[in-house]
């Protein structure tokens, strides 16, 4: 997926960069879709999240130097399998930086391979160390008794860093799609 930084004074590109399966040595017909971008609180890093169809499909998160565009780290979210949402968008993911800048959070619509409800589409969240890209924690939400599938719409981080919120839509048997209000998805 492609990331472009534009100079706000001139409108010209300052740098371009991004993850590409072909660049990483995988087939040219692989899909790489950038879905979300966020900037660290100090303005020094840009975080990009998207879908990559390397030999194993997954959600990719990368950090870049905001001034130069140089890649600082790139990683896949573990144990989640991307899925299409109700509108047919594949691999939709959101990324947000913590207020303190030490963590990067991603929220995804995915099959959670580690959860009992892994056969249903769930909200999945993960936290990464902003300096190294190392996984700090992961979690998912699925109400198997009432909801068959959940589709991500947005992600927000509490300014204190105590909570991460995810919202979206869910398919409720007999009621169709219902809006899901924001709920606690993770806790530091």
């Amino acid at each position: 997926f492609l990331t472009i930084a534009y100079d706000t004074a001139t409108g010209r590109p300052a740098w371009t960069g991004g993850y590409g399966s072909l660049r990483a040595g995988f087939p040219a017909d692989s899909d790489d879709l950038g879905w979300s971008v966020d900037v660290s609180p100090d303005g020094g890093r840009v975080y990009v999240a998207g879908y990559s169809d390397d030999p194993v499909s997954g959600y990719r998160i990368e950090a870049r130097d905001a001034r130069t565009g140089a890649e600082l780290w790139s990683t896949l979210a573990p144990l989640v399998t991307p899925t299409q949402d109700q509108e047919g968008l594949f691999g939709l993911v959101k990324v947000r930086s913590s207020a303190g800048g030490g963590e990067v959070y991603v929220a995804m619509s995915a099959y959670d391979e580690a959860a009992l409800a892994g056969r249903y589409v769930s909200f999945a969240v993960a936290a990464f160390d902003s300096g190294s890209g190392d996984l700090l924690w992961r979690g998912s939400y699925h109400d198997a008794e009432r909801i068959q599938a959940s589709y991500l719409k947005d992600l927000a981080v509490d300014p204190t860093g105590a909570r991460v919120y995810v919202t979206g839509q869910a398919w409720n048997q007999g009621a169709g799609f219902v809006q899901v209000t924001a709920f606690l998805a993770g806790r530091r």
Side-chain angles (χ1 to χ4, degrees), residues 43-173:
R45 293 174 188 245
V46 174
Y47 303 104
V48 183
Y51 166 79
S52 179
D53 186 25
D54 290 340
V56 176
S57 298
Y59 290 104
R60 180 158 296 280
I61 303 93
E62 66 178 25
R64 295 191 166 274
D65 182 285
R67 191 177 58 77
T68 67
E71 183 180 292
L72 303 173
W73 54 261
S74 181
T75 189
L76 287 171
L79 297 174
V80 292
T81 303
T83 186
Q84 286 179 302
D85 71 6
Q86 76 281 5
E87 297 169 358
L89 298 173
F90 206 79
L92 191 59
V93 59
K94 297 286 183 175
V95 62
R96 299 289 182 265
S97 179
S98 66
E103 297 89 24
V104 178
Y105 304 104
V106 291
M108 308 148 275
S109 295
Y111 295 102
D112 184 351
E113 299 168 19
L116 293 176
R119 64 189 178 138
Y120 295 108
V121 178
S122 304
F123 290 116
V125 293
F128 297 88
D129 180 277
S130 64
S132 66
D134 291 340
L135 178 70
L136 300 174
W137 57 262
R138 61 174 298 284
S140 64
Y141 172 82
H142 181 78
D143 184 349
E145 291 184 23
R146 295 185 302 136
I147 298 172
Q148 290 185 342
S150 302
Y151 300 106
L152 171 73
K153 287 298 178 186
D154 209 353
L155 166 68
V157 180
D158 181 297
T160 67
R163 289 177 172 39
V164 176
Y165 300 91
V166 178
T167 189
Q169 291 182 319
W171 177 257
N172 191 334
Q173 183 112 17

